[in-house]
């Protein structure tokens, strides 16, 4: 007789995301993957045939979401140390390089310090326009990994590959990738230096086949059964973040090419700002422009992305740990009073380690909070909070 908790867990798993029953290939059958441009193709094929015997298939689990009152969760499939991990890692690095060079002007291609600098510049430009009503729109993409149809992901990657090949001056679709390198892991074309043994040669035209293989091989174990994900791309897969990003960026690039020039001609540099951080989109816009300019209205719409992808309004001013008050031209740091959020003086480690959180928060306030007068107030509040926690020497 089946245990009750197992039935409930299985029912919850199916409600959170659409899965269907799947079978695991027998151990004596090779995994079918597209041919890669390896110099040692025979050795690579032999290794992949033996991989199912040596390494397990991924396993799945659910991380419940507190803000959804634990009724929904993030389905995560762990691909680390599995038989397809390296292949997906190489393809992910190739896509990241292609996206960086082909579509550099999308809304998410910016470092966090530069993002806040842009907000400061926008607020400074509006200091002499107190009558202008700026509003802040905080949108979250629902199910960043699980909601984008696999067909849309494939289409956006084909679009990216076509433009990358078109813009490639060397007319060479071969990329050299070192999956273990932290700096510049991707190189285009052939190398003038000796190729290390851990470098992988990949043809960008094969990436679509690798992605399709990732979807087809998305089998994992959970609650004693085997499932296959049928919607979106799984969290925990090395290639999933860049796949979801490609689909979102393709929509942004299409809008920029169709309407970006119209918005630029309207001279809205001090009335419109938009950036995306992964699946969170932030917009600061003049209320009159939002309601009177149809292109800006479409951009700010919750239906900006094609169905079934859906944006939802966060209904708060919190963004990346800060609070944006657009109409008052302010950015404030969210300073939490709960003691459990901080490393206390009684914690293990050196004094420098125990104060590392204080110095980190102080740096973020100094560099991000706007205007400077508000930053000074929050720095004093931070000092008072740490003294209340028992830190008598903050040097």
């Amino acid at each position: 007789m089946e245990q009750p908790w197992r039935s409930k867990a299985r029912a919850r798993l199916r409600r959170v995301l659409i899965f269907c029953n799947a079978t695991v290939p027998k151990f004596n059958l090779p995994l079918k993957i597209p041919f890669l441009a390896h110099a040692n193709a025979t050795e690579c094929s032999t290794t992949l045939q033996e991989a199912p015997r040596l390494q397990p298939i991924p396993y799945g689990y659910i991380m419940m979401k507190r803000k959804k009152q634990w009724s929904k969760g993030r389905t995560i499939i762990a691909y680390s140390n599995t038989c397809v991990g390296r292949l997906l890692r190489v393809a992910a690095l190739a896509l990241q390089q292609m996206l960086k060079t082909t579509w550099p002007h999308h809304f998410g291609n910016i470092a966090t310090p530069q993002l806040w600098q842009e907000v400061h510049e926008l607020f400074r430009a509006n200091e002499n326009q107190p009558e202008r009503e700026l509003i802040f729109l905080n949108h979250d993409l629902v199910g960043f990994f699980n909601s984008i149809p696999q067909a849309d992901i494939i289409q956006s990657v084909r679009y990216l590959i076509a433009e990358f090949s078109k813009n490639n001056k060397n007319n060479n679709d071969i990329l050299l990738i070192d999956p273990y390198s932290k700096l510049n892991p991707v190189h285009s074309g052939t190398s003038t230096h000796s190729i290390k043994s851990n470098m992988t040669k990949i043809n960008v035209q094969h990436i679509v086949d690798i992605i399709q293989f990732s979807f087809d091989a998305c089998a994992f174990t959970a609650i004693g059964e085997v499932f296959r994900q049928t919607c979106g791309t799984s969290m925990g897969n090395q290639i999933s973040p860049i796949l979801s990003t490609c689909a979102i960026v393709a929509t942004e690039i299409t809008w920029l090419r169709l309407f970006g020039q119209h918005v630029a001609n309207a001279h809205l540099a001090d009335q419109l700002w938009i950036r995306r951080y992964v699946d969170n989109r932030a917009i600061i816009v003049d209320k009159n422009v939002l309601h009177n300019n149809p292109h800006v209205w479409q951009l700010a719409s919750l239906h900006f992305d094609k169905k079934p992808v859906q944006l939802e309004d966060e209904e708060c001013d919190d963004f990346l740990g800060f609070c944006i008050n657009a109409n008052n031209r302010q950015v404030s740091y969210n300073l939490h009073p709960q003691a459990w959020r901080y490393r206390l003086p009684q914690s293990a480690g050196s004094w420098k380690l125990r104060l590392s959180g204080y110095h980190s928060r102080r740096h973020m306030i100094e560099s991000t909070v706007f205007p400077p007068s508000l930053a000074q107030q929050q720095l004093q509040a931070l000092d008072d909070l740490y003294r209340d926690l028992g830190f008598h020497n903050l040097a």
Side-chain angles (χ1 to χ4, degrees), residues 41-52 54-55 83:
T42 304
E43 180 181 348
C44 177
S45 176
T46 303
T47 302
L48 287 168
Q49 290 183 26
E50 296 176 350
L54 302 177
Q55 295 175 304
C83 51

Side-chain angles (χ1 to χ4, degrees), residues 3 8 95-96 115 165 170 176 191 230 244 268 284 311 318 325 340 349 374 394-395:
Q3 297 177 354
K8 293 180 180 179
L95 282 173
Q96 289 174 3
L115 181 150
S165 299
N170 299 325
L176 296 175
S191 175
T230 60
S244 299
L268 302 177
I284 301 176
L311 291 164
D318 294 344
N325 190 328
W340 60 266
L374 179 59
L394 297 176

Side-chain angles (χ1 to χ4, degrees), residues 174-339:
I174 302 299
L175 295 177
L176 296 175
I177 301 172
D178 181 1
Y180 304 104
S181 174
K182 299 295 183 182
L183 298 175
N184 300 322
V186 182
H187 305 275
S188 180
T190 57
S191 175
T192 58
H193 304 283
S194 59
I195 300 177
K196 298 180 181 179
S197 59
N198 58 351
M199 294 286 283
T200 301
K201 189 187 298 183
I202 186 173
N203 190 318
V204 299
Q205 303 300 330
H206 296 160
I207 291 179
V208 171
D209 293 329
I210 296 175
I211 295 171
Q212 187 61 57
F213 165 72
S214 171
F215 293 154
D216 296 340
C218 191
F220 65 95
T221 57
I223 327 174
E225 294 188 10
V226 180
F227 300 88
R228 180 173 63 87
Q229 183 172 336
T230 60
C231 182
T233 179
S234 61
M235 292 181 68
N237 186 338
Q238 291 93 326
I239 202 173
S240 292
I242 189 62
L243 289 184
S244 299
T245 299
C246 283
I248 299 303
V249 169
T251 303
E252 296 173 351
I253 291 296
T254 301
W255 183 91
L256 286 170
R257 291 176 178 176
L258 290 175
F259 309 115
Q261 191 59 46
H262 295 284
V263 174
N265 293 338
H267 304 291
L268 302 177
D270 59 344
Q271 301 173 65
L272 174 65
W273 173 85
I274 177 171
R275 283 297 178 184
R276 176 179 49 79
Y277 184 82
V278 189
D279 60 344
N280 289 105
R281 190 178 71 164
I283 302 175
I284 301 176
V285 59
D286 183 355
K287 188 175 181 179
N288 291 331
V289 171
L290 176 64
H291 292 291
N292 296 325
N293 190 309
H295 306 311
V296 175
W297 178 264
Q298 179 190 15
L299 177 65
S301 170
L302 294 178
H303 305 287
F304 176 74
D305 295 290
K306 186 174 66 173
K307 289 184 177 181
V309 181
Q310 181 66 49
L311 291 164
E312 68 176 0
D313 194 340
E314 288 289 302
E315 297 181 351
C316 70
D317 295 333
D318 294 344
F319 185 68
L320 303 182
F322 292 84
C323 180
I324 298 178
N325 190 328
N327 203 36
N328 291 336
R329 283 61 162 166
Q330 290 183 345
V331 178
S332 59
Y333 177 67
N334 292 330
L335 191 61
H336 301 282
Q338 298 90 345

